Amino acid sequence: MKNRLLLLIVSLLALMLMLSGCLSSQYYNISGYVKDSSGSPIYGVAISFSNGSQSVVTNSNGYWSKSGLNGSVTVTPSKSGWTFNPSNITVSGARSNVNFTGTQNTPPPGTPSNPSPSNGQTGISVNPTLTWTCSGNGITYDVYFGTSSNPPLVESGLAVASYTPKTLSFSKTYYWKIIAKNSGGNTTGSVWSFTTKNVSGNMSINNRWNLTTNGTSTAGQIYSSPAMSSNEVIFIGGQGALYAFDSSEGYYAPSSSPVWSSPVFDTVSNTVFSGNNAGQIIYLSSPFSSYHVLNISSNPIISAPLVYNGNVYIVDNFGNIYKMSESSNNPYKICTVGSYVWSSPVTNGTDMFIGSDNGTFYAVNLSDGMIDWSYPTGEKIYGTAAIDSSGNLYIGATKLWSFTSNGSLRWSKQLDGSQIYGSPVISENGVVYIGTIEGHFYAIDSSNGDILWTRVLSTPIGGVSSSAIIGDNGIVYVASGRVLYALDPGNGNTISSVELGYNVESSPVMNDGYIYVGCDDGYLYQIKVLSSTIASHGWPMFMRDWYHTGMPW
């Protein structure tokens, strides 16, 4: 009996030991690390467990551990501003490699602020650049802009906190807002507004000079476009001389042939150069009391000369290009680009650019006279090119054409199909203004050739035969027929106009509140206008500036 009882006791103890071992085997321990993609530990990550066990937090080494788990448990890391991969791991037994990789989230941008122009500001230029500030990383911007208090989207994905609107009008309120975006989200700014300046007044003829050598006979048509010296002497070609006018008197350098070429003033040597129809160059140095004539070609020189780096480049009407040093006055031919060249050359410092009525636009190397590239437009080119601040080129034929400086076509835009004779002008916010012989005047987006607006300038006789000019306050002046218009750059509406004696085929120059322009009645007109001088950026007039340098700023 005792033996049986002893056996029973031993059996019960063995059973209890077995049960104890089974129960203890249901609990397990796990551990792991939380690090970023570079292997750096992430401190303070909360590790939670789906069975309701108390969560743990990673230490400075990114390490965590948990004991006393049993059954299947899902382990989930979390920390504000972080995303983890994998997002969770399910375990059912002991493990020491329950690891996670964390990526810090980008916070959404701050609210766009500090607008310029400031909210509600008045008297703003029609060529503003809008700027703002915004905190955050990896931000792009959507710009909403217009005349409605709920402005439309005009630009998306801008990488910089600035935007330049294209065509704004005077005396108008504009609204704008910015939405800042990054991978963390979007933040919408307030709607801001500003009002552009008011411009009013009337243009008037202040003076005019008969471009004849005796002051009485009829001078004939004026094709030359006036240039100005650094001491504000105005030069212009007539049918029998190169004329100069200062504040007190006029004088002239007689020519054996009409001077249809436009003069060019070199600010380094204080010398003015102009061609004539006898193939000669006329040049005068300050104080312009004497003149010189140099034979260049047997063909007329209609184009304006180009002066660059101490050299004068002369293109005759048959496309022969001559180069001469100002110090030696010894011209020699460097290139021929095609017959009947009426276009004047411009340059970017490497090439000169010129069109021909054979329809080809040429880039000629200034150093060696080689043709670096040419582009056959298939249209007669009479006008002169313009160059924007990025080096892109614009030239009119019957279409308006734009090229990169290496000759790649950017775009071409068909206008009304009639001939363009003037040079394009370019505002500081990238709007190209150009007119046609049919009297249509266009504002065109320089980036893509889109027409922003068109104005039909109905005049008694003729259309637009010359270049426009942009004033320092943004007003665009252009002659169509015998009428000079001052136009709102935002919509082409007429601010003022003045009628001259006859058609205008000369491109104007502007200084001290006056426009000077030749007219087909033989007079040089001085017109009081609504701007002080030309715009200081872009390509605001024929051959860019008062001196006809033909180079970007």
Side-chain angles (χ1 to χ4, degrees), residues 203-226:
M203 296 190 297
S204 61
I205 297 172
N206 187 67
N207 205 346
R208 67 175 190 167
W209 297 273
N210 190 4
L211 298 186
T212 62
T213 55
N214 58 25
T216 58
S217 63
T218 301
Q221 293 170 294
I222 305 301
Y223 302 115
S224 177
S225 298

Side-chain angles (χ1 to χ4, degrees), residues 150-354:
N150 184 24
L153 176 68
V154 294
E155 192 82 29
S156 61
L158 279 180
V160 294
S162 67
Y163 170 73
T164 301
K166 291 297 182 185
T167 54
L168 302 189
S169 295
F170 294 107
S171 304
K172 189 174 286 292
T173 298
Y174 292 90
Y175 299 87
W176 59 298
K177 74 175 181 180
I178 303 299
I179 296 180
K181 299 180 174 182
N182 66 10
S183 59
N186 302 341
T187 305
T188 302
S190 302
V191 175
W192 301 312
S193 69
F194 65 87
T195 301
T196 53
K197 66 175 65 175
N198 177 54
V199 172
S200 61
N202 295 303
M203 296 190 297
S204 61
I205 297 172
N206 187 67
N207 205 346
R208 67 175 190 167
W209 297 273
N210 190 4
L211 298 186
T212 62
T213 55
N214 58 25
T216 58
S217 63
T218 301
Q221 293 170 294
I222 305 301
Y223 302 115
S224 177
S225 298
M228 188 179 72
S229 70
S230 53
N231 59 347
E232 300 185 2
V233 176
I234 303 296
F235 297 90
I236 187 171
Q239 292 294 340
L242 174 65
Y243 296 85
F245 297 87
D246 62 16
S247 58
S248 60
E249 62 181 359
Y251 44 100
Y252 60 88
S255 172
S256 61
S257 180
V259 180
W260 292 2
S261 170
S262 298
V264 171
F265 179 75
D266 180 18
T267 58
V268 176
S269 64
N270 287 320
T271 303
V272 64
F273 298 87
S274 183
N276 69 12
N277 291 17
Q280 299 170 318
I281 284 290
I282 306 168
Y283 60 100
L284 306 84
S285 295
S286 180
F288 313 117
S289 57
S290 62
Y291 68 93
H292 306 274
V293 177
L294 187 65
N295 292 318
I296 302 293
S297 171
S298 59
N299 305 308
I301 298 173
I302 309 299
S303 306
L306 175 69
V307 180
Y308 177 73
N309 200 26
N311 294 303
V312 184
Y313 298 85
I314 303 130
V315 186
D316 72 19
N317 193 224
F318 277 31
N320 299 304
I321 301 177
Y322 300 84
K323 179 178 180 179
M324 94 178 167
S325 168
E326 288 190 70
S327 59
S328 67
N329 293 331
N330 184 25
Y332 58 96
K333 187 166 74 171
I334 61 171
C335 185
T336 300
V337 294
S339 61
Y340 300 109
V341 173
W342 307 84
S343 173
S344 293
V346 298
T347 184
N348 60 5
T350 300
D351 292 306
M352 72 159 66
F353 304 98
I354 194 161

Side-chain angles (χ1 to χ4, degrees), residues 404-416:
T404 64
S405 60
N406 63 9
S408 297
L409 177 65
R410 297 177 67 226
W411 50 260
S412 64
K413 175 60 67 172
Q414 182 69 60
L415 304 181
D416 63 11

Side-chain angles (χ1 to χ4, degrees), residues 27-97:
Y27 293 92
Y28 55 88
N29 301 332
I30 61 173
S31 62
Y33 288 87
V34 182
K35 299 182 179 182
D36 64 19
S37 58
S38 67
S40 298
I42 304 174
Y43 170 76
V45 179
I47 308 295
S48 60
F49 308 95
S50 61
N51 65 354
S53 297
Q54 185 174 353
S55 62
V56 296
V57 177
T58 57
N59 64 17
S60 59
N61 294 319
Y63 178 77
W64 64 273
S65 64
K66 181 68 174 177
S67 60
L69 297 180
N70 66 345
S72 178
V73 178
T74 299
V75 183
T76 304
S78 63
K79 184 176 182 177
S80 178
W82 291 78
T83 301
F84 297 94
N85 183 39
S87 59
N88 57 67
I89 297 175
T90 299
V91 297
S92 57
R95 284 180 58 178
S96 60
N97 63 344

